Amino acid sequence: MLKQALEELDGEVSAYRRLSSMLDKQFQVATRLDTASLACVSEAIAQEVHCLEGRRRQRSQLLTVASTLANRLPAARGTVAHRAVEQRCTELKELATICKAATLRNGQLLASQYDAMQRVLQGERHTYAPA
């Protein structure tokens, strides 16, 4: 059962790695102002996030089960199992933090591009203000 829990944790780590890669690609595409590619990458990100969100409660239960199983094993095996669970949990938390930072970075870039485009299309508000 611990093996299954570790495999599922590995799947979650892989999903967060994919998301991190997609967020990096989104940033690169956004800096090039490639709107067609940006739409495709953003859709893929939305689908991945939807899947991750759908498994959030299951992931929480999985972490509890994996920790419990690792702590119940005999001392010789428990140490290895406990380290394996801790390592995957730590990596999962690090990847979640990286994804959160990348999402913030991408959002700020897209917002600044939107603001710049609005100024180009509509001009500065105070430029044509009545005296």
Side-chain angles (χ1 to χ4, degrees), residues 21-23 25-27 29 36-46:
S21 176
M22 285 186 252
L23 289 166
K25 185 174 181 178
Q26 182 185 45
F27 184 78
V29 169
S37 295
L38 184 60
C40 291
V41 171
S42 296
E43 179 61 32
I45 288 170

Side-chain angles (χ1 to χ4, degrees), residues 74-90:
R77 290 177 52 205
T79 304
V80 172
H82 188 69
R83 272 190 262 143
V85 169
E86 278 185 354
Q87 181 223 1
R88 284 166 176 84
C89 290
T90 299

Side-chain angles (χ1 to χ4, degrees), residues 22-89:
M22 285 186 252
L23 289 166
D24 288 340
K25 185 174 181 178
Q26 182 185 45
F27 184 78
Q28 293 167 1
V29 169
T31 57
R32 290 192 317 260
L33 300 173
D34 182 354
T35 56
S37 295
L38 184 60
C40 291
V41 171
S42 296
E43 179 61 32
I45 288 170
Q47 289 175 0
E48 189 70 35
V49 168
H50 182 73
C51 290
L52 283 168
E53 186 62 28
R55 294 189 315 247
R56 184 172 48 139
R57 186 169 29 160
Q58 181 183 9
R59 183 170 45 254
S60 177
Q61 292 170 348
L62 171 66
L63 292 173
T64 302
V65 168
S67 295
T68 302
L69 288 173
N71 291 329
R72 286 187 180 175
L73 292 175
R77 290 177 52 205
T79 304
V80 172
H82 188 69
R83 272 190 262 143
V85 169
E86 278 185 354
Q87 181 223 1
R88 284 166 176 84
C89 290

Side-chain angles (χ1 to χ4, degrees), residues 2-14 16-17 59 62-63 66 80-96:
L2 179 61
K3 182 179 177 182
Q4 179 186 1
L6 289 172
E7 287 172 358
E8 289 183 30
L9 280 173
D10 286 340
E12 292 297 307
V13 167
S14 294
Y16 271 94
R17 283 184 185 145
R59 183 170 45 254
L62 171 66
L63 292 173
V80 172
H82 188 69
R83 272 190 262 143
V85 169
E86 278 185 354
Q87 181 223 1
R88 284 166 176 84
C89 290
T90 299
E91 187 174 4
L92 194 57
K93 288 176 187 176
E94 288 172 357
L95 285 166

Side-chain angles (χ1 to χ4, degrees), residues 104-125:
L104 181 62
R105 173 198 66 195
N106 293 3
Q108 289 172 341
L109 173 64
L110 293 169
S112 69
Q113 288 175 339
Y114 177 81
D115 287 343
M117 192 59 67
Q118 288 299 315
R119 283 193 307 273
V120 167
L121 294 174
Q122 297 176 356
E124 297 288 336
R125 289 185 183 168

